[in-house]
Amino acid sequence: MPKGVTKRRPRTRAALLESALAAFAENGFHATSIEQICERAGYTRGAFYSNFSSKEELFLALFDAHSERVIARIGTLMDSAGAAQLTLQGLVELLSDIEPAERDWYLVTTEFTLHAIRDRQAAWVLAQHDARLRAELTRCLTDHLTRAGRALTVDADELARLLIAIREGGLAQSYVEPDQLPPGQLERSFLAPLLTALTVRRP
């Protein structure tokens, strides 16, 4: 492959991903065509198919990129936490932090999840990507608890599932009633007592 094409490929891929996220959030996953994504990004269908085999593959690339950003952000915040923040409440603050841009991602991922519930193959693939995200979340969670002098009394992966369920369920209510329930409020209210009940002090 010519060097020029090799150098352009990451930029093309990034532009298609950015375009797809905006189009999916605005119009929906199913209602957005590959042509609309390409037009919005300024590329041809050929450029699309040089990077992705389908809209599903493109979505999963978006999923992985979003997961990496979230985990990297949490990891950076945890690594930079001072001694005063190495507490359960400090962990709660990290888990309750929700960026304004999260709304677009919530719209996109919720619709794709519904699609996956109806399509067994899509469900299987999404589950693999979910598992990788949970593994990273579990690692960050256990590392912070260890540094805070706490140990889990429940399975870490199951706790990660619960935390994700609380986050996604809370966001659904927050985006419907933003004035009544700001994003992250449920986590700030209930995660500290929950984590206290599910951990013990390390020897």
Side-chain angles (χ1 to χ4, degrees):
M1 185 177 290
K3 289 184 178 179
V5 175
T6 302
K7 291 179 180 179
R8 286 197 300 270
R9 190 180 182 89
R11 292 198 297 271
T12 302
R13 184 180 175 87
L16 288 168
L17 288 171
E18 182 179 355
S19 171
L21 178 59
F24 290 162
E26 183 178 323
N27 304 314
F29 176 79
H30 288 294
T32 299
S33 67
I34 290 174
E35 289 79 7
Q36 287 173 316
I37 295 171
C38 293
E39 182 179 353
R40 195 164 191 150
Y43 289 101
T44 64
R45 283 176 62 91
F48 180 93
Y49 285 112
S50 291
N51 289 275
F52 308 102
S53 63
S54 64
K55 279 200 302 180
E56 283 191 1
E57 183 180 321
L58 183 149
F59 168 81
L60 293 170
L62 279 172
F63 184 99
D64 288 340
H66 179 266
S67 298
E68 289 170 8
R69 286 195 299 272
V70 170
I71 293 299
R73 188 161 180 267
I74 291 176
T76 298
L77 291 172
M78 287 185 173
D79 290 341
S80 62
Q85 296 171 297
L86 291 177
T87 61
L88 290 184
Q89 188 57 46
L91 178 58
V92 168
E93 289 303 317
L94 292 176
L95 296 175
S96 303
D97 186 55
I98 297 172
E99 297 179 298
E102 189 71 10
R103 182 180 182 277
D104 281 353
W105 177 246
Y106 185 84
L107 291 171
V108 175
T109 191
T110 298
E111 184 179 2
F112 190 87
T113 299
L114 293 175
H115 164 65
I117 291 172
R118 298 186 182 99
D119 185 301
R120 293 184 63 184
Q121 178 60 26
W124 184 86
V125 174
L126 181 58
Q128 311 311 305
H129 289 256
D130 277 338
R132 289 198 289 273
L133 172 60
R134 282 200 316 278
E136 286 300 308
L137 176 59
T138 297
R139 182 185 61 78
C140 290
L141 182 65
T142 53
D143 284 352
H144 187 96
L145 288 172
T146 298
R147 294 172 65 196
R150 309 287 299 187
L152 285 172
T153 58
V154 296
D155 181 78
D157 182 70
E158 289 189 355
L159 177 59
R161 285 183 182 274
L162 176 61
L163 294 176
I164 291 171
I166 292 172
R167 181 185 182 91
E168 293 181 351
L171 285 176
Q173 297 179 66
S174 294
Y175 293 142
V176 171
E177 300 180 276
D179 295 332
Q180 298 297 318
L181 187 71
Q185 182 172 310
L186 286 181
E187 291 92 326
R188 290 188 175 91
S189 298
F190 297 105
L191 284 192
L194 175 64
L195 291 173
T196 299
L198 299 180
T199 61
V200 293
R201 290 191 179 277
R202 298 176 65 87

